[in-house]
Amino acid sequence: RTTMKTLRFISAEAFVSNAEFARKSLGAVAHDLFPLLFKASYLLEQGEVIHDLVENWPLFDFNMGKLLGATLDYQEDLSHSTCSVCLESCLTGLRDYVLNQSSPYMKKLKLVDLTGIKDVEVQFCKCKKTMGRWARTQLLSKLCSELLVYLQQAQCNPGTFEISINVLIDLFVTERNYELVVQALLKKCSCPLKICCVAFRSDNLTLQKFFYIIKLTDPSLLRKLEIVHNVHLEMEHLEMLFNSIHFPLLMSLTLPARTFNVRRFTATDEQMLSNIGEKMGEMSQLTELSMSFSILTGRIQKLLSPLKTPLKMLDVSNCSLNHADMTFLANSSHANHLEALDLSGHDIPELYPSTFFKLLSHCSSVLRSLTLEDCNIQDTHVNMLILGLSPCQKLQEFKFIGNPLSSQALKHLFTFLCELPMLKNVEFPVPRDCYPIGITYPIDDASLCRFDHQKYERVAEELNLILLQANREDVKASTPLFGSYDAAVQETNNELGASLIKSFKETLEKFTTSFNKMS
């Protein structure tokens, strides 16, 4: 599909395609043409032109999401392109905006918003190199620190020190870039470029470092907090976090695996859980909550009932929910507002079929994303599932890998899925009949890839043919055996892998020491 361009946009492309000419001519360009030229330069990956446009930016704000999003001149949304050449040129241009003393424009820029950049799996940029969220965090922090050093050493125009630009960004901090980000945040007051953290993700960080840096980010501005892999946050630490820091604007909270474990609860722990629920209740903007791989049996009501605002997204995958938990969810005010729901890792047909379908019927008018991975959904349950999904006319995404379904059942289900008008993404399991007879579910990692790949390809072709015959080429169907694409994990997987090996080695050494003492 070719997106139409106006004559204005075609002219802008022609202008920026000759980088040398465009850079020399910027002084004569009208201010209101800068956004048009920026998008044209980004599309053509003209790094030098992008740098000079940002260095001489004549407007009050610079919003990446709006500049790259659909415009009247060119409807294509480029905000999902994280081309390294373009983004590096943007950020170095921003640094040089501060340092440029001969700019023909009066310096008006007050706000830079980098939060509209979307990290996606498939990139089409010519340089074939992307700059993810972690790398953007790293580069901006580095540029802020370098800028301060330069301003302290060089003879700068006194006006340079009066420049104050708020830079909104989604920070992503791990052990590897921690020191650099801390230095940038500590010196925020002195730096003309002021990092304003809107969303914060922390992976592979000690609790001490996490608590220190989260206070530096100015939590009063934080809208999204993700504490994910290899941050050993448990319930008492979460209570401490909520008692010591207020998050008045927080809309989205993701907690690491094993934050809660009710199996070893004491009376003190029960009180702690109540306190955490009450603290979350004070976050009046909170509408997204992810608590996967915690053990929350029988405690969902205690945790969620204090919330003042109904949740729009809830991930309680692999949380060992019981019938009481599902009954609370189905009857709560959250049910009618849930746009995204993940109940993976629960044996839904066996434990609470009717309660689950009640929950599904309550959220059917708004539900956009449903994930039911490893839920023991079998061929005999497909008709019931179709009945439950039929009212979900706004469903855009349905993920159900890891369920013991046959090729025939999948074909039946796909025929129905074609009828959901908004559906865009389906993640389906390897059919049961592609695995050896006697395979048990959930399938362990060692056996996951031991299936008949040729038979799977044939079935996948037949499923895609069902979509094609129903004119549903817009639906992407896939089987990501090891989970959906996660841009953040993809970008830092080397560091995470090294950290896990180190952690395993330390555990092994402790075990060996203890064993030797016993001997």
Side-chain angles (χ1 to χ4, degrees), residues 328-341:
F328 168 75
L329 285 176
N331 295 319
S332 70
S333 60
H334 304 294
N336 299 311
H337 297 84
L338 285 171
E339 295 174 15
L341 177 64

Side-chain angles (χ1 to χ4, degrees), residues 391-432:
C392 302
Q393 293 293 297
K394 289 186 180 174
L395 197 68
Q396 296 174 18
E397 182 175 68
F398 181 39
K399 301 179 182 181
F400 59 106
I401 60 173
N403 287 293
L405 291 164
S406 69
S407 310
Q408 209 54 45
L410 285 171
K411 289 174 199 172
H412 180 35
L413 187 53
F414 264 64
T415 304
F416 157 73
L417 292 175
C418 292
E419 298 169 18
L420 296 176
M422 311 286 282
L423 196 67
K424 290 284 176 280
N425 185 36
V426 177
E427 291 183 4
F428 65 94
V430 172
R432 183 170 194 154

Side-chain angles (χ1 to χ4, degrees), residues 151-416:
L151 292 176
Q152 285 159 1
Q153 291 173 351
Q155 292 293 312
C156 290
N157 187 323
T160 304
F161 293 95
E162 291 171 22
I163 296 171
S164 178
I165 303 166
N166 286 332
V167 185
L168 306 185
I169 185 169
D170 299 339
L171 291 181
F172 180 10
V173 180
T174 65
E175 181 66 43
R176 203 152 50 96
N177 67 356
Y178 171 80
E179 290 298 339
L180 196 59
V181 182
V182 164
Q183 287 310 308
L185 291 172
L186 280 171
K187 295 169 183 170
K188 179 178 169 179
C189 294
S190 323
C191 188
L193 296 177
K194 304 191 180 302
I195 293 176
C196 299
C197 179
V198 179
F200 184 87
R201 179 179 174 118
S202 167
D203 281 21
N204 190 31
L205 211 56
T206 64
L207 278 177
Q208 189 179 6
K209 287 180 176 178
F210 167 73
F211 270 87
Y212 182 66
I213 198 168
I214 198 70
K215 288 176 182 175
L216 293 181
T217 60
D218 189 358
S220 65
L221 297 174
L222 215 54
R223 295 183 180 274
K224 186 170 186 175
L225 176 59
E226 296 170 279
I227 313 164
V228 214
H229 311 286
N230 218 19
V231 180
H232 302 298
L233 186 95
E234 294 186 6
M235 191 169 63
E236 56 268 33
H237 310 124
L238 185 62
E239 186 188 35
M240 202 187 307
L241 178 70
F242 288 165
N243 282 340
S244 58
I245 301 174
H246 292 287
F247 300 95
L249 298 180
L250 197 68
M251 299 167 74
S252 177
L253 175 64
T254 299
L255 298 172
R258 295 181 290 279
T259 300
F260 305 99
N261 184 358
V262 304
R263 284 180 189 155
R264 47 185 172 83
F265 260 28
T266 63
T268 310
D269 293 326
E270 293 289 359
Q271 185 55 51
M272 206 182 288
L273 191 71
S274 298
N275 293 345
I276 290 168
E278 284 166 18
K279 287 292 178 185
M280 290 201 302
E282 291 169 14
M283 300 172 193
S284 58
Q285 309 286 313
L286 189 67
T287 56
E288 297 182 359
L289 185 59
S290 176
M291 308 179 288
S292 59
F293 289 94
S294 274
I295 298 172
L296 283 163
T297 316
R299 306 304 195 289
I300 284 289
Q301 182 167 2
K302 188 173 274 192
L303 208 49
L304 300 188
S305 59
L307 299 187
K308 309 282 192 301
T309 312
L311 291 171
K312 290 182 180 177
M313 188 283 274
L314 179 63
D315 179 354
V316 281
S317 55
N318 300 283
C319 283
S320 304
L321 303 190
N322 64 14
H323 193 270
D325 295 315
M326 194 59 79
T327 302
F328 168 75
L329 285 176
N331 295 319
S332 70
S333 60
H334 304 294
N336 299 311
H337 297 84
L338 285 171
E339 295 174 15
L341 177 64
D342 190 341
L343 290 168
S344 300
H346 295 100
D347 189 342
I348 288 171
E350 182 67 32
L351 295 173
Y352 23 63
S354 58
T355 322
F356 163 71
F357 286 114
K358 183 179 181 182
L359 171 61
L360 198 57
S361 71
H362 284 169
C363 61
S364 59
S365 63
V366 291
L367 192 67
R368 289 184 296 105
S369 174
L370 178 63
T371 307
L372 300 174
E373 296 175 2
D374 298 309
C375 284
N376 196 28
I377 297 168
Q378 300 178 33
D379 291 17
T380 51
H381 308 128
V382 168
N383 285 335
M384 196 66 184
L385 183 63
I386 288 171
L387 206 61
L389 289 173
S390 293
C392 302
Q393 293 293 297
K394 289 186 180 174
L395 197 68
Q396 296 174 18
E397 182 175 68
F398 181 39
K399 301 179 182 181
F400 59 106
I401 60 173
N403 287 293
L405 291 164
S406 69
S407 310
Q408 209 54 45
L410 285 171
K411 289 174 199 172
H412 180 35
L413 187 53
F414 264 64
T415 304
F416 157 73

